[in-house]
Every structure is written in structure tokens, then in C-alpha cells.
Amino acid sequence: MGEIRQLLLGLSNNNNNVNRRDRGRQQQQRVVERVVENDDSDSEEELSVAGEDQINQSDYKMKAEIPTFSGHLKIEEFLDWLVEVDRFFDMIEVQESKRVKMVAFRLKSSAAVWWDQLQQTRRRLGKKPIQTWRRMQQMLRDRFLPADYEQLLYRMYMDCVQGNRTVDDYTDEFLRLAEHNQLGESETQKVARYLSGLRPSIQEKIGLQTVWTIAEAQNLALKAELMEKAKRTYSNVDRGRQNPIPDRVPTPFKRAESSSSNRVNENIENPKQNLKLNPYAKPAGDKFYRCKQPGHRSNNCPDESR
């Protein structure tokens, strides 16, 4: 009986331990479920985005490519090209050892000739080839940018005004020049410079409104530009209503008609002039059929009076 009791106690203890383990597992599962429910969905989105990036990485490599450079770009266009190359490397995550070759392959015309001659010169002098994109970028700047390009960019930035261009075109150039100059201006300073470059008519419409960002200034300028376009359209319509196209015969034709009628009247009143103009015309005048003498009528014939 004692042995049976011990066996029964052991079985009960084992059952209690199993139940405790199950309860502990259930509690842990509940805690995990609560954490998952309370957690934001950003982690799941990041995991899905990371998976999509790994799947579509080959598509990006096929579609994206470095823009070509032939050595004939303006200062701001050349700087834009360097920015696009850096953006390409950041997106594709190209290894540093491959970047120089990829950029060299996209060089065309005079830029390609310059690069080939540079590589040959370095080999002839016993120097190592350029292996980093940072070094290659610096050599490109030294070759294709003038020595005073910073001064030129600053002048272009100071002289940037809207003129006859649209607000969008002016804004694009202003932001591009501001980025290339890197003057360390605050946002409010850029806004003041941007507003001073707008057309005076648009500045008047913006008025004394307080503007803190370039985006706000651009929106106000676009609204003012639309108001100007609508005003010009209405003024053209009003001019068309006030000055309609006449349906009558133009004045030069009237003058020609009146002059021709005057000439006809003159020919009728002056028969001698009519003979000069038309030699076949019959001379006008009265002639009595009895005496056959011209210059009088029958009631004034001198022969009849005799």
C-alpha cells in the first residue's frame, strides 16, 4: 500500500508539473499575441519592403543607368550630372571597386578621350590607375569646371530673377542654384531672396503676407500668376466686344468708288474731255435738223425767225 501511495503521488506530481508547463506556455503565447496586436505595422511593412527589395534588385539594375557625359555641359548641368551619379550609386549600392569603371563606360566624346589619355599617362609614369569614385570625381571637377566656377555660380544665384518665365521655371532654377552654391542660408533668407526675384506684379499681389518657406512662397506666386492670366484673358475678350470687325466695305474701296463716280460726272459735263478720254465717243450737243446748224434748239433757230 505504501508503494502504491508513492506511485500515485508521483503521478499526481508529474501531472501537476505538466499542467504548470502548459499554463506557462499558454501565458507566454498570450503575452506574444498581445505584443503583436499592440505593435505597429511598421515592422511588418519593413519586412515586406525588404523582401521586395531583394526580389526586385535585379529589375533596378536593369532599368536604372548612369547618364552619359560628353564634356559639353554648363556648370550647373555638370554639377547636376555628378549628383545623379551619386544618387544612382546610393540606389543600386554598387561596390566601390566597380564605380570607376561604370562611370568611365558612360563617358562619351571629348570626356572619353580625356579619360583614356589620362589613364595612359598614369601608366607611362608608373602610377596606379584611379580606383575610387571620389578621386575620379575630383579629377572630373578639375578638368571640366573653370577655376572660378564658384564665383560664377554665386553671380548666377544673385542675378536669378523670374523675368518673362513662368513661376515653375523660375523656382526650379532658383532651387538648383541655391543647392549648388551651398551658402548655408536659412529658410527665411532663401524666401526673402526668392520673393525679390519675382516679377513686380506678382510681388504686389502677394502683398504683406508672411511667408516662412519656399513652398508657401511658390504657392502664392502660382496663384498670383493665375490671376494675371485670367485678367489678360478677360481684357482681350472686352477689347473684341468693344471693337468688333465691321461688316461694311472698307474705306479705301469707298474712296475708289467715289473718285470713279466723280470722273464719270466730269466726262458728262465736259464733252471735250470725254473725247480725249474716249476717241470713239459721240460728241454731245444740240443740232437743229432743218438748218443743220449746231448750238441752238428749234425754237431759237435764227433762220426760222426770219
Side-chain angles (χ1 to χ4, degrees):
M1 295 294 293
E3 292 177 357
I4 292 171
R5 289 177 182 176
Q6 291 179 357
L7 291 172
L8 292 174
L9 290 173
L11 292 172
S12 62
N13 291 331
N14 291 331
N15 292 330
N16 291 331
N17 291 331
V18 171
N19 293 331
R20 289 174 183 174
R21 292 175 184 174
D22 294 338
R23 292 175 183 174
R25 292 176 180 175
Q26 292 177 358
Q27 291 177 357
Q28 292 179 358
Q29 185 67 25
R30 291 175 182 174
V31 171
V32 171
E33 291 177 356
R34 290 176 183 176
V35 171
V36 172
E37 290 178 357
N38 296 329
D39 191 13
D40 296 333
S41 60
D42 295 339
S43 59
E44 296 179 358
E45 292 179 357
E46 291 176 357
L47 292 175
S48 61
V49 170
E52 292 178 358
D53 290 341
Q54 293 178 357
I55 294 172
N56 298 329
Q57 188 174 5
S58 60
D59 296 339
Y60 290 146
K61 290 182 179 179
M62 292 175 62
K63 295 178 181 179
E65 61 180 1
I66 298 175
T68 59
F69 174 62
S70 59
H72 301 291
L73 297 178
K74 298 180 181 179
I75 296 176
E76 63 274 17
E77 293 176 351
F78 174 73
L79 296 175
D80 292 338
W81 178 77
L82 293 178
V83 172
E84 290 182 8
V85 174
D86 289 333
R87 189 180 298 115
F88 173 83
F89 288 148
D90 293 339
M91 182 181 66
I92 302 300
E93 298 180 358
V94 181
Q95 297 178 1
E96 185 64 34
S97 59
K98 298 181 179 179
R99 295 186 177 186
V100 175
K101 294 181 180 180
M102 295 181 68
V103 176
F105 179 73
R106 301 299 294 175
L107 297 179
K108 305 296 180 182
S109 187
S110 61
V113 174
W114 164 79
W115 179 254
D116 294 338
Q117 291 178 353
L118 178 64
Q119 295 296 89
Q120 293 175 5
T121 303
R122 292 180 67 88
R123 283 194 298 267
R124 186 170 57 254
L125 297 176
K127 296 182 179 180
K128 295 181 179 180
I130 299 174
Q131 299 179 354
T132 61
W133 162 239
R134 182 178 180 182
R135 176 60 177 162
M136 183 180 184
Q137 184 177 173
Q138 184 61 41
M139 300 190 75
L140 286 168
R141 286 175 174 267
D142 295 340
R143 171 61 182 82
F144 295 101
L145 284 179
D148 58 344
Y149 80 94
E150 292 182 350
Q151 297 180 8
L152 296 175
L153 282 176
Y154 183 75
R155 291 177 184 175
M156 294 170 63
Y157 185 43
M158 294 294 103
D159 298 337
C160 182
V161 294
Q162 181 182 1
N164 296 326
R165 296 178 297 177
T166 61
V167 173
D168 290 332
D169 294 339
Y170 165 67
T171 305
D172 292 340
E173 183 180 0
F174 178 86
L175 293 177
R176 187 171 68 252
L177 292 174
E179 181 181 359
H180 290 327
N181 278 275
Q182 296 180 356
L183 300 177
E185 296 178 322
S186 63
E187 187 68 16
T188 54
Q189 291 174 339
K190 290 182 181 179
V191 169
R193 192 182 300 277
Y194 176 82
L195 293 175
S196 63
L198 292 170
R199 276 200 301 268
S201 58
I202 294 181
Q203 294 184 31
E204 292 176 359
K205 290 180 175 59
I206 294 176
L208 300 177
Q209 300 186 37
T210 304
V211 185
W212 299 105
T213 62
I214 296 292
E216 294 177 357
Q218 182 182 6
N219 291 332
L220 292 175
L222 288 172
K223 293 179 181 178
E225 187 177 41
L226 291 175
M227 292 173 62
E228 287 188 351
K229 290 181 180 179
K231 186 177 180 180
R232 287 196 296 268
T233 303
Y234 292 147
S235 62
N236 293 333
V237 173
D238 292 339
R239 289 177 183 176
R241 292 176 178 175
Q242 293 176 1
N243 299 321
I245 300 175
D247 295 333
R248 303 175 183 176
V249 180
T251 307
F253 292 99
K254 290 184 178 181
R255 292 178 180 175
E257 182 181 357
S258 60
S259 61
S260 62
S261 61
N262 292 332
R263 286 197 298 269
V264 171
N265 295 330
E266 290 177 357
N267 295 335
I268 295 173
E269 294 176 357
N270 192 355
K272 295 182 179 180
Q273 184 69 22
N274 189 15
L275 289 174
K276 293 180 180 180
L277 295 176
N278 187 5
Y280 300 100
K282 184 178 180 180
D286 295 333
K287 185 177 181 181
F288 188 38
Y289 65 94
R290 292 183 180 179
C291 64
K292 305 297 181 183
Q293 297 296 326
H296 62 276
R297 296 178 179 275
S298 60
N299 56 356
N300 294 327
C301 180
D303 295 338
E304 291 292 332
S305 61
R306 292 176 186 176

